[in-house]
Amino acid sequence: MKTRTLQEVLDHIAAKRAVVLATNLDSGEQRLLQRREGDTDAERAHVEQALRLDVCVTADERPQLFYQPFNPPLRMIVVGAVHIAQPLSAMAALAGYEVTVVDPRESFAATERFAGVALNRQWPDEALESLNLDARCAVVTLTHDPKLDDPALQAALRSDAFFIGSLGSRKTHAARLRRLANAGFTESDLERVNGPIGLPIGARSPAEIAVSALAQITQALHKPPKR
């Protein structure tokens, strides 16, 4: 890799921008490509695959190209330092996420309840704005309190977060969607909010609900994008 190309890669990493290094295996020529960039539909698909799965991809076409992804770290923003947040933050960390728990209530967002987890005690809209959400972020709201969940969801919907999910019953979720619609969000925006969060595995305990939520987030991370 040339020094200039290396510096460009480092600049993208510092800015938390996903980028792919495309190398022509015949000529050695290298280019940097971001999402939806590429000379052909096939190349754009290879770039998307490399970034989505976070793996290197070798194209079958000629000339043969090798696509190496440089992704920002996976992050999970958990809004609400409730009981479910404790097992979810631990499981997410094991799955490779940088976890931040957001809750302005100091008695909930207590260090002794979340050892080793980053805590943000700002109000959710301020916290999410400061965290600069990107396409490698999952946002989960757990409080059931519209004063906390709704600002977080609005900030998440204005971002490129790959997953947005909320805890609560179907009735609670329907009311949540009505509030978001009244705030000006479209039907396609509302479809991004997974609620009630989690795959339907019959989860009941906080740990089981955390398992179902993380499973749904994992499914979303690896799901091919809609075309």
Side-chain angles (χ1 to χ4, degrees), residues 36-199:
R36 295 181 286 276
E37 291 184 347
D39 292 340
T40 64
D41 288 342
E43 180 165 72
R44 287 186 284 273
H46 293 320
V47 169
E48 176 62 36
Q49 181 185 17
L51 290 174
R52 177 169 52 82
L53 300 180
D54 205 24
V55 296
C56 295
V57 174
T58 302
D60 293 330
E61 305 89 30
R62 304 301 299 182
Q64 194 168 43
L65 291 160
F66 181 77
Y67 299 92
Q68 180 180 0
F70 293 90
N71 265 317
L74 283 169
R75 292 187 289 159
M76 184 181 296
I77 316 302
V78 179
V79 178
V82 297
H83 291 314
I84 294 169
Q86 292 174 292
L88 178 58
S89 60
M91 293 175 191
L94 287 173
Y97 288 81
E98 293 181 1
V99 181
T100 300
V101 174
V102 175
D103 200 316
R105 302 168 296 182
E106 294 188 11
S107 60
F108 284 75
T111 303
E112 56 268 23
R113 298 185 66 231
F114 294 93
V117 177
L119 297 173
N120 187 314
R121 298 187 180 93
Q122 294 177 291
W123 281 90
D125 51 345
E126 297 173 350
L128 269 63
E129 183 178 352
S130 69
L131 290 167
N132 297 316
L133 303 181
D134 56 42
R136 297 275 286 173
C137 288
V139 177
V140 178
T141 69
L142 302 175
T143 74
H144 295 276
D145 186 345
K147 294 193 302 295
L148 298 175
D149 284 358
D150 287 12
L153 291 172
Q154 292 183 27
L157 286 170
R158 288 191 290 266
S159 78
D160 292 328
F162 76 87
F163 181 90
I164 304 170
S166 290
L167 188 67
S169 67
R170 294 186 184 279
K171 181 178 179 181
T172 297
H173 187 59
R176 176 187 298 133
L177 294 182
R178 286 195 295 271
R179 292 194 302 272
L180 290 171
N182 290 336
F185 289 95
T186 66
E187 185 174 344
S188 61
D189 292 329
L190 302 184
E191 289 175 354
R192 294 178 61 197
V193 184
N194 295 273
I197 193 172
L199 295 183

Side-chain angles (χ1 to χ4, degrees), residues 183-223:
F185 289 95
T186 66
E187 185 174 344
S188 61
D189 292 329
L190 302 184
E191 289 175 354
R192 294 178 61 197
V193 184
N194 295 273
I197 193 172
L199 295 183
I201 61 174
R204 296 190 177 186
S205 70
E208 290 173 343
I209 294 170
V211 168
S212 71
L214 184 57
Q216 188 179 38
I217 293 167
T218 302
Q219 182 184 66
L221 177 65
H222 298 302
K223 185 178 180 180

